[in-house]
């Protein structure tokens, strides 16, 4: 049964609903980039430059958009990206994301910056992956990796593109922290959003007796967060080098994916380190301002790995046509982050389901217009020369 449309007919509609419902601090954490914030616009401009060259007089009455990743079928070449602080956008937001993904037949990536314990998220069912930011104490990081495997996560995604903390100046202006602490900057805005205040913070206080925090942190680090640290304050990756990845490769028995790769030499290094995949990503414009768009970096990385690993594309996906463009340029799978959070913020699990339904409908429609009946018929030939 399809999800209610919520009056939303594309991802942009869901985005506007999310913006209206969330207080400014939470909205800006979801939506904004870093420094001069050039990255998000560059991601979209790069997708928009790509033009299709459709074929006609083809029977497209039956279109198969399913694929396979790491030996398991997926209804689309799409997975939900790891996103922090989903629990600040909807009560137990990660559970809503995971359930919607499972019902859609898509993988869900648990964030190590999430607000629910990974075991509780895995209990929602479906194909679960786990994303890791390394903490200062590496042994504590290895413990959560072991927990992820024991809970049934099939792949480990190690984020590489935040070797140092990004400069998100608006967090300082908004007084945003994790857990949220009332201050003169955010109280008036929270009071102006009563549905969010009662439906999110109120429910945490009523049912859990506490506000959400980064739940996969060890207890000692959680206690220091209670003093109002900025999101990600305990991550430490400035000393992560190839030996650190080799250690994780030895520790992790499942599929290993390195996230945040934009240079073909780094993709080749990932192969040498035994990774099973890379995510071509500029962190959605939230890491290094002025970095190149992920879709622009994709072809060189696909060429560099030569089919020897799974290539994911992340950053800037807002339409099903973006998924088709990524596949045409050689990506095996696409990750969506903000688009899913727009749906979550607009309507919980139903909103995420609406996001995924919209993207699937757009993928099918785009392939039909192109005259492509399955992914074998989507390649560089569906794009206009000179893209």
């Amino acid at each position: 049964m399809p999800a209610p449309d919520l009056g939303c007919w594309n991802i942009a509609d869901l985005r506007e609903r999310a913006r209206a419902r969330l207080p400014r601090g939470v909205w800006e954490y979801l939506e904004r980039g870093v420094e001069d914030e050039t990255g998000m616009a560059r991601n979209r401009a790069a997708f928009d430059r790509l033009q299709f060259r459709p074929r006609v007089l083809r029977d497209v009455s039956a279109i198969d958009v399913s694929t396979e990743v790491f030996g398991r079928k997926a209804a689309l070449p799409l997975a939900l990206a790891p996103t922090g602080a989903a629990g600040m956008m909807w009560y137990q937001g990660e559970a809503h994301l995971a359930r919607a993904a499972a019902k859609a037949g898509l993988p869900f990536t648990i964030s190590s910056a999430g607000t629910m314990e990974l075991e509780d998220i895995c209990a929602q069912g479906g194909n679960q992956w786990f994303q890791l930011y390394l903490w200062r104490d590496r042994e504590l990081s290895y413990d959560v990796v072991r927990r992820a495997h024991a809970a049934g996560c099939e792949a480990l995604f190690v984020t590489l593109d935040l070797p140092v903390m990004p400069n998100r100046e608006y967090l300082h202006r908004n007084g945003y922290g994790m857990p949220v602490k009332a201050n003169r900057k955010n109280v008036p805005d929270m009071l102006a959003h009563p549905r969010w205040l009662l439906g999110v913070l109120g429910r945490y206080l009523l049912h859990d007796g506490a506000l959400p925090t980064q739940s996969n942190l060890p207890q000692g680090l959680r206690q220091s967060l209670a003093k109002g640290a900025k999101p990600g304050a305990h991550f430490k990756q400035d000393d992560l080098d190839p030996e650190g990845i080799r250690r994780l490769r030895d520790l992790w028995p499942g599929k290993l994916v390195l996230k945040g790769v934009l240079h073909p030499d780094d993709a080749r290094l990932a192969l040498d380190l035994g990774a099973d995949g890379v995510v071509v990503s500029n962190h959605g414009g939230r890491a290094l301002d002025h970095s190149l768009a992920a879709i622009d970096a994709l072809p060189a990385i696909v060429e560099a790995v030569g089919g020897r690993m799974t290539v994911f594309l992340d950053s800037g996906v807002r339409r099903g046509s973006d998924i088709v463009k990524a596949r045409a340029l050689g990506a095996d799978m696409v990750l969506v982050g903000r688009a899913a959070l727009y749906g979550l913020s607009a309507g919980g699990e139903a909103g995420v389901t609406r996001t995924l339904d919209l993207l699937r409908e757009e993928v099918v429609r785009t392939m039909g217009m192109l005259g492509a009946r399955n992914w074998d018929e989507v390649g560089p030939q569906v794009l206009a020369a000179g893209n």
Side-chain angles (χ1 to χ4, degrees):
M1 181 177 179
D5 60 46
L6 303 173
C8 298
W9 299 101
N10 53 40
I11 302 303
D13 288 346
L14 289 165
R15 177 182 179 275
E16 289 307 306
R17 275 189 169 252
R19 182 169 63 173
R21 182 179 164 274
L22 296 177
R24 177 177 175 179
V26 180
W27 168 251
E28 292 197 344
Y29 177 79
L30 185 170
E31 176 67 7
R32 295 188 63 180
V34 292
E35 295 184 351
D36 296 323
E37 300 185 287
T38 69
M40 291 174 62
R42 186 176 298 105
N43 284 334
R44 282 308 317 158
F47 272 111
D48 291 343
R49 280 197 306 271
L50 295 171
Q51 302 172 71
F52 288 123
R53 187 188 299 278
R55 298 294 305 274
V56 296
L57 296 176
R58 298 194 177 198
D59 181 357
V60 290
S61 58
I63 296 174
D64 181 9
V65 296
S66 66
T67 190
E68 186 176 288
V69 60
F70 297 147
R72 292 189 59 167
K73 187 173 181 179
L76 277 174
L78 175 69
L80 272 66
T83 51
M88 288 302 299
M89 298 162 203
W90 200 271
Y91 176 68
Q92 295 187 340
E94 286 93 352
H96 290 256
L97 289 163
R99 287 196 298 268
K103 290 175 182 176
L106 303 175
F108 173 65
T109 317
I110 300 168
S111 171
S112 58
T115 55
M116 288 182 66
E117 293 194 6
L118 66 92
E119 291 85 357
D120 294 334
I121 302 172
C122 286
Q124 309 304 315
N127 182 9
Q128 308 276 5
W129 301 334
F130 183 75
Q131 174 269 339
L132 178 69
Y133 290 115
L134 288 158
W135 298 317
R136 296 172 186 172
D137 186 332
R138 290 292 194 259
E139 289 304 319
L140 296 178
S141 299
Y142 301 150
D143 284 344
V144 78
V145 167
R146 296 183 186 99
R147 282 175 53 202
H149 181 255
C153 293
E154 298 184 5
L156 177 67
F157 283 60
V158 184
T159 297
L160 304 180
D161 56 8
L162 292 182
V164 296
M165 288 298 293
N167 184 23
R168 299 172 186 168
E169 298 157 1
Y170 46 89
L171 295 182
H172 299 282
R173 294 194 186 98
N174 293 332
Y176 179 83
M178 182 66 71
V180 165
K181 299 187 75 172
N183 57 54
R184 63 182 178 81
K185 297 178 181 179
N186 60 32
V187 166
D189 196 42
M190 288 192 287
L191 292 174
H193 294 81
R195 285 191 304 156
W196 175 87
L197 184 62
L198 296 175
V200 179
L201 294 194
R203 291 186 69 184
Y204 281 118
L205 292 173
L206 179 63
H207 295 291
D208 305 336
L211 296 178
T213 187
Q214 291 174 9
S215 294
N216 293 303
L217 283 172
Q219 188 59 39
L221 298 186
R222 290 193 212 180
Q223 290 171 352
S224 66
L225 272 186
K227 300 176 183 178
K230 290 290 179 289
H234 290 287
F235 301 136
K236 179 174 172 55
Q237 302 204 138
D238 56 359
D239 57 349
L240 180 59
D241 60 10
E243 286 305 312
I245 298 301
R246 290 190 182 97
R247 175 72 179 97
L248 288 168
R249 176 69 284 178
D250 291 342
L251 179 69
W252 180 256
K255 299 296 185 180
L256 178 67
V257 180
L258 303 186
K259 182 175 184 292
V261 173
L262 293 174
H263 198 292
D265 287 349
D266 289 336
R268 295 185 189 97
L269 176 60
L271 270 173
D272 292 342
L273 294 173
D276 300 287
V278 292
V279 182
V280 183
S281 170
N282 65 10
H283 213 98
R286 291 167 61 83
L288 173 65
D289 205 10
H290 303 284
S291 65
L292 78 162
I295 193 74
D296 285 341
L298 177 62
I301 290 176
V302 169
E303 182 180 3
V305 302
R308 292 171 288 173
M309 60 165 37
T310 301
V311 177
F312 298 81
L313 185 284
D314 167 271
S315 300
V317 173
R318 298 292 183 274
R319 287 278 189 182
S321 57
D322 297 335
I323 298 171
V324 178
K325 289 174 181 179
R327 285 285 304 216
L329 291 177
D332 298 294
M333 200 85 172
V334 168
L335 302 180
V336 294
R338 284 190 182 95
L341 292 182
Y342 296 152
L344 176 70
S345 302
E349 182 181 338
V352 182
T353 296
R354 183 60 177 161
T355 295
L356 301 178
D357 285 349
L358 285 168
L359 291 173
R360 186 186 189 283
E361 291 166 8
E362 291 173 356
V363 167
V364 172
R365 187 180 303 114
T366 300
M367 289 179 68
M369 292 289 187
L370 288 173
R373 292 155 290 201
N374 54 57
W375 294 114
D376 290 338
E377 296 180 352
V378 174
Q381 77 279 1
V382 307
L383 299 175
N387 280 319

